[in-house]
């Protein structure tokens, strides 16, 4: 706090960001964002989660410059070196490739999968759930029975079936994960919609003559969004694991792409004598999943309308 | 069609034989039974009754929020259907009971007020929002706040501003002050009176509070168990000369709790 009083520009910015009387739409939004950020900083574990994600993003963006070796370069004379051997911090795999470099390059693949699933499955679920909840009647029955059918299958098994039908590869793995992971979001969004659809503020906008589309998109969805975002961050760990699982079964990323799940898969042959080949990518999956879970817990405290305000 | 002589030659609002039922075949709740009344232009008409008497249901049927009604509702001589269009919403607006529930928690005051203008394709939205905020006694500093940054009275002022921004002729008021504390109640009622005079509005006010009704209304109808028991002018109410036993009892109850009076209450269901 003393640093702020010493620095008038910073103190002015802080006052501007915490004012009760914002002067424009953008200003009001920034005040809300800043207050959200302040409550996030009060939760050290959530900050740790956020830091892990920032590191993941930075690593995947800078992979070509920070990776010590080419992730695909084989060196058969130098295979299965233990961690800490010269030039190979995490050791080498069965083809003599540097495991650290492969994990660094694999970060962008993990990020790619996570982002693609995050922008498809929750959006589809949100649209279906809010439509079903707001319109009700036959629409609700049809959409929810469809959701039930998808929910009835175990997720990984259904994803396996889709990948088997579509052919192996990262894109198809992402598609399969997205197809299998939207139903919980639809359920969640429908439940939230049912609690808000008879609120007075929805009646009020109906009485202003707003169309159903405007009400769902502008009034119902923003209220469902926070619980969906929380659910997404908490599900991310599961999505990474499913992607790794598909990679492990040889249905996700194909060799020689350094996907973490596929790396564990190839390392399992050496698990007893050369433990690091499977353990290092496993640790990476563990840390990133943990980061998403911690952030999700923190976001729940900030965004969940039931937890405050 | 019985037209009340008090309502003048041409009523602005005319409700005839309104029936509202809820529920499906085996469990029907008959909430409103054969309600008829007329409201003249520029008048404030009160609907009074205890909880569950059907007064809010009448208002919701008039506003179009509840489509399960039979009978006729006419505004300015035009018969209303169950589904209302934009022209109706531009003429008739509603203020809700609970200002904590009637404003969207994630929208700023600015968005709450400008969205109706966007829906109706009105021009000069910026100025309209500024003017209506001043009209309801909130300055421009309130414009970009969120509802959780406002007090109950300020929220109700925003709700009134939202109803007024489309420049309607008729305001349906569903217990607009019952969720507010007493001093704020008076402010909001005075604000509504002033706006009515300035803009020539017609009010239909639902309330269980006879003091509010006596302060605001020209005429009132007393409802019990879904029926209109009696129509009174405010002078008759002030003179405490209602014809019906139920109204006399309601009037007695409004004077405050009295053990002997409470013991003598009877059920009029």
């Amino acid at each position: 706090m003393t640093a702020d009083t010493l620095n008038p520009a910073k103190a002015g910015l802080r006052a501007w960001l915490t004012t009760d009387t914002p002067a424009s739409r953008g200003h009001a939004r920034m005040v809300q964002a800043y207050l959200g950020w302040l409550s996030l900083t009060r939760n050290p574990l959530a900050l740790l989660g956020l830091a892990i994600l920032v590191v993941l993003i930075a690593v995947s963006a800078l992979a070509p410059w920070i990776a010590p070796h080419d992730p695909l370069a084989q060196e058969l004379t130098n295979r299965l070196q233990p961690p800490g051997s010269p030039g190979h911090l995490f050791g080498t795999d069965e083809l003599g490739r540097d495991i650290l470099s492969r994990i660094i390059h694999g970060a962008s693949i993990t990020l790619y999968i996570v982002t693609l699933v995050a922008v498809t499955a929750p959006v589809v679920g949100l649209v279906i759930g809010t439509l079903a909840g707001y319109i009700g009647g036959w629409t609700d029955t049809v959409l929810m029975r469809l959701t039930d059918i998808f929910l009835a299958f175990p997720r990984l098994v259904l994803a396996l079936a889709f990948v088997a039908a579509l052919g192996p590869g990262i894109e198809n793995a992402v598609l399969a994960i997205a197809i299998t992971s939207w139903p919980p979001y639809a359920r969640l969004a429908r439940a939230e919609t049912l609690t808000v659809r008879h609120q007075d503020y929805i009646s009020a906008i109906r009485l202003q003559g707003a169309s159903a589309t405007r009400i769902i998109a502008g009034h119902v969805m923003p209220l469902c969004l926070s619980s969906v975002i929380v659910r997404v961050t908490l599900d991310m760990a599961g999505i990474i694991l499913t992607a790794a699982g598909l990679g492990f079964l040889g249905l996700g990323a194909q060799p020689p792409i350094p996907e973490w799940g596929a790396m564990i898969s190839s390392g399992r042959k050496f698990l007893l004598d050369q433990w690091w080949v499977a353990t290092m990518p496993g640790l990476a999956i563990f840390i990133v999943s943990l980061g998403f879970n911690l952030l999700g817990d923190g976001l729940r405290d900030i965004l969940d309308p039931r937890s405050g305000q | 069609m019985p037209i009340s002589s008090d309502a003048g030659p041409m009523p602005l609002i005319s409700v005839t034989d309104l029936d509202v039922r809820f529920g499906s075949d085996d469990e029907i709740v008959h909430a409103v039974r054969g309600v008829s009344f007329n409201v003249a232009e520029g008048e404030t008409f009160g609907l009074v009754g205890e909880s569950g008497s059907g007064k809010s249901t009448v208002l919701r049927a008039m506003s179009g929020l509840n489509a399960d009604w039979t009978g006729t509702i006419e505004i300015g001589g035009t018969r209303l259907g169950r589904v209302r269009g934009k022209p109706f919403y531009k003429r008739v607006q509603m203020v809700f009971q609970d200002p904590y529930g009637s404003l969207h928690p994630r929208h700023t005051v600015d968005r709450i007020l400008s969205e109706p203008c966007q829906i109706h394709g009105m021009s000069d939205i910026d100025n309209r929002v500024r003017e209506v905020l001043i009209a309801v006694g909130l300055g421009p500093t309130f414009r970009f706040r969120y509802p959780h940054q406002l007090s109950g009275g300020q929220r109700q002022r925003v709700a009134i501003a939202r109803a007024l921004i489309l420049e309607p002729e008729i305001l349906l008021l569903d217990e607009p002050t019952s969720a507010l504390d007493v001093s704020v109640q008076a402010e909001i009622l005075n604000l509504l009176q002033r706006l009515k005079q300035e803009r020539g509005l017609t009010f239909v006010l639902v309330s269980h509070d006879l003091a509010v009704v006596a302060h605001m209304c020209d005429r009132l109808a007393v409802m019990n168990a879904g029926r209109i028991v009696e129509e009174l002018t405010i002078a008759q109410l002030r003179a405490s000369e209602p014809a019906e036993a139920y109204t006399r009892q309601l009037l007695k109850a409004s004077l405050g709790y009295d053990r002997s009076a409470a013991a003598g209450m009877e059920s009029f269901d």
Side-chain angles (χ1 to χ4, degrees), chain A residues 19-26 28-29 31-32 35 198-211 214 218-220 222-223 226 302-305 309, chain B residues 60 63-65 86 89 92-94 96-98 101-108 110-112 115-116 118-120 126 141 143-146 148-149 162-163 166:
Chain A
T19 177
D20 259 357
T21 54
S24 70
R25 266 157 243 189
R29 241 174 254 133
V31 169
Q32 284 305 103
L35 293 178
H198 289 303
Q199 296 287 323
D200 279 349
Y201 48 84
I202 300 295
S203 299
I205 191 69
R206 275 175 61 197
L207 289 188
Q208 320 256 251
S211 61
R214 179 185 277 271
H219 295 255
V220 175
L223 292 169
S226 39
I302 299 170
L303 293 175
D304 195 330
Q309 291 198 354
Chain B
R60 291 177 83 84
S63 70
L65 282 176
K86 281 185 192 173
Y89 296 125
V92 181
Q93 278 294 316
M94 183 158 164
F96 293 85
Q97 176 176 6
D98 179 12
S102 70
L103 302 180
H104 196 287
R106 295 284 161 92
H107 289 173
T108 59
D110 176 67
R111 165 134 193 220
I112 289 168
E115 190 153 16
Q118 289 161 8
I119 293 169
H120 289 265
D126 234 37
T141 50
R143 184 164 172 185
F144 297 102
R145 291 197 193 180
Y146 286 87
H148 65 83
Q149 298 170 307
R162 170 178 60 191
L166 292 177

Side-chain angles (χ1 to χ4, degrees), chain B residues 28-43:
Chain B
I28 287 185
V29 179
H30 204 156
V32 175
R33 301 157 188 252
V35 163
S36 304
F37 60 88
N38 293 306
V39 184
E41 193 173 344
E43 194 180 26

Side-chain angles (χ1 to χ4, degrees), chain A residues 157-168 172 176 246 251:
Chain A
V157 174
L158 192 57
L160 276 177
F162 275 115
V163 174
L166 297 166
N172 289 343
L246 289 173
L251 295 168

Side-chain angles (χ1 to χ4, degrees), chain A residues 210-274:
Chain A
S211 61
T213 326
R214 179 185 277 271
I215 295 173
I216 291 174
H219 295 255
V220 175
M221 275 190 192
L223 292 169
C224 304
L225 204 57
S226 39
S227 26
V228 168
I229 289 176
V230 170
R231 177 84 200 235
V232 170
T233 48
L234 292 175
D235 276 358
M236 274 310 160
I239 289 166
I240 294 171
L241 289 179
T242 310
L246 289 173
F248 180 83
L249 294 169
L251 295 168
Q254 294 303 299
I257 299 173
E259 201 268 323
W260 295 347
M263 288 168 72
I264 297 179
S265 170
S266 64
R268 88 177 185 282
K269 285 173 278 191
F270 318 98
L271 200 56
L272 291 180
D273 300 317
Q274 286 87 23

